[in-house]
Amino acid sequence: KRRTVIMFDDMENKDKPMVSIQCLVYNHEPYLRQCLDGIVMQKTNFHFEAIVHDDCSTDGSRKIIEEYGAKYPDIIKPIYEKENQYSKKDGSLRRILNAHLTGKYIALCEGDDYWIDPLKLQKEVDYLEIHQNVGMCFTNFDVKYEETGFVKKSALTNYQDQYPHQYDLKQWIAHPGYIGPMTWLTRNELWKSVPKIPSSDGTYVLVAHFIQSGKIHCLIDETTAVYRSNKGSITQSNSFKVQYWQKLNFYYAKIALADWYYPNSDFAENLRNKTYAVFFNNSYAKKILSYGSEKDIALLEQHFSSLSLVNKVLFLVCKSSIIRKLFKKVYLALVHKKTHFEV
């Protein structure tokens, strides 16, 4: 029989939720019931709450949240926005959520993912209560491909090459992987002290902070959640423009993290040089020429010697903003009918 251990810091905290769940929702109507069912089915010997944030959805997501909020008022705590906060890119989304996340621990589950283990929260809280030197724990997970229905079972053990789960800080910054945010449980004080480093992938910065501030641990034998791979989501976008900005912003975050944790080091300098060279030499070269700003071009110029011969020629030809605009028009005309190129 599993031993359950719950400890409270003091009597004043006993009525506060042990866990606050951050559930971000935007046009998740087809999947939202499964997500919320996974939350309300949790069996715990402590109080938990779900901050369900609807970021001005245009489908039926709000109606579903209202239904669950009425049925489970002690668990589901809705926030309904009148304008989309994510699109502001000014930190408002994070500030709003942090003001409502009051639990000792923070868990995540976005509206299109879901939990499959009713003891998910209990197992993780038990672990962190005992192991005070660990800042964040996570578990194994399945990956469901929405278009085909194919499921990768227990990805961290059955697909280890694709989903590694052990990192030190330098490994994570240089070669991050995917460790299932919908399985995380982290301490509130760590969650709210994350450096403000912009990134197209917020989990990348979070995990770096968790590793640096305290150990992270994987409950590898527990598969508690499902990550839904859905090509309709922004992370799976077919848009060349979206892909370009995501990739470039991710590389900027990589360099910023290296400078933040390893300032003036060979590690940071080598990563910077390699990052720009690799970015320009890979399949995103055409996107840089089509969408690159003067800042992007200037940064790449610093690493001109690292470029392949073909890209050196492209770079020299396209340094002019006028030529880049012309390049974009020609490129669009040539490939628009063959791709999902959006502008």
Side-chain angles (χ1 to χ4, degrees), residues 169 172-173 195 203-213 257 261:
L169 184 57
W172 178 260
I173 292 174
T203 61
Y204 174 50
V205 176
L206 283 167
V207 174
H209 176 64
F210 297 153
I211 294 173
Q212 172 64 16
S213 303
L257 279 176
Y261 292 113

Side-chain angles (χ1 to χ4, degrees), residues 150-164:
F150 175 70
V151 177
K152 289 181 177 178
K153 291 286 189 178
S154 301
L156 296 181
T157 47
N158 295 326
Y159 300 86
Q160 295 181 39
D161 292 342
Q162 293 176 258
Y163 300 96

Side-chain angles (χ1 to χ4, degrees), residues 86 89 94 172 176 194-208 245-257:
Y86 175 82
K89 307 294 184 183
R94 179 176 174 179
W172 178 260
V194 179
K196 294 181 180 180
I197 297 175
S199 174
S200 57
D201 182 353
T203 61
Y204 174 50
V205 176
L206 283 167
V207 174
W245 287 115
Q246 284 181 336
K247 200 73 171 180
L248 185 64
N249 288 335
F250 176 73
Y251 281 146
Y252 284 161
K254 178 179 288 194
I255 294 163
L257 279 176

Side-chain angles (χ1 to χ4, degrees), residues 123-124 126-128 131-140 156 165-167 179-180 183-187 190 207 210-211 214-222:
K123 292 172 181 176
E124 292 178 325
D126 286 351
Y127 185 86
L128 290 184
H131 300 86
Q132 294 293 317
N133 63 328
V134 178
M136 186 267 276
C137 66
F138 59 103
T139 74
N140 219 324
L156 296 181
H165 66 277
Q166 293 180 321
Y167 296 91
I179 56 174
T183 74
W184 298 0
L185 189 75
T186 187
R187 300 182 188 278
L190 281 184
V207 174
F210 297 153
I211 294 173
K215 295 180 181 179
I216 66 172
H217 177 77
C218 180
L219 303 175
I220 193 69
D221 295 328
E222 306 288 351

Side-chain angles (χ1 to χ4, degrees), residues 327-342:
F327 182 97
K328 178 178 177 179
K329 289 183 179 180
V330 173
Y331 188 62
L332 280 170
L334 290 174
V335 304
H336 181 70
K337 293 182 180 180
K338 297 181 181 179
T339 68
H340 299 281
F341 201 102
E342 299 172 4

Side-chain angles (χ1 to χ4, degrees), residues 51-63:
I51 309 302
V52 184
H53 180 275
D54 180 64
D55 205 6
C56 204
S57 293
T58 58
D59 62 0
S61 294
R62 175 166 177 162
K63 185 176 181 181

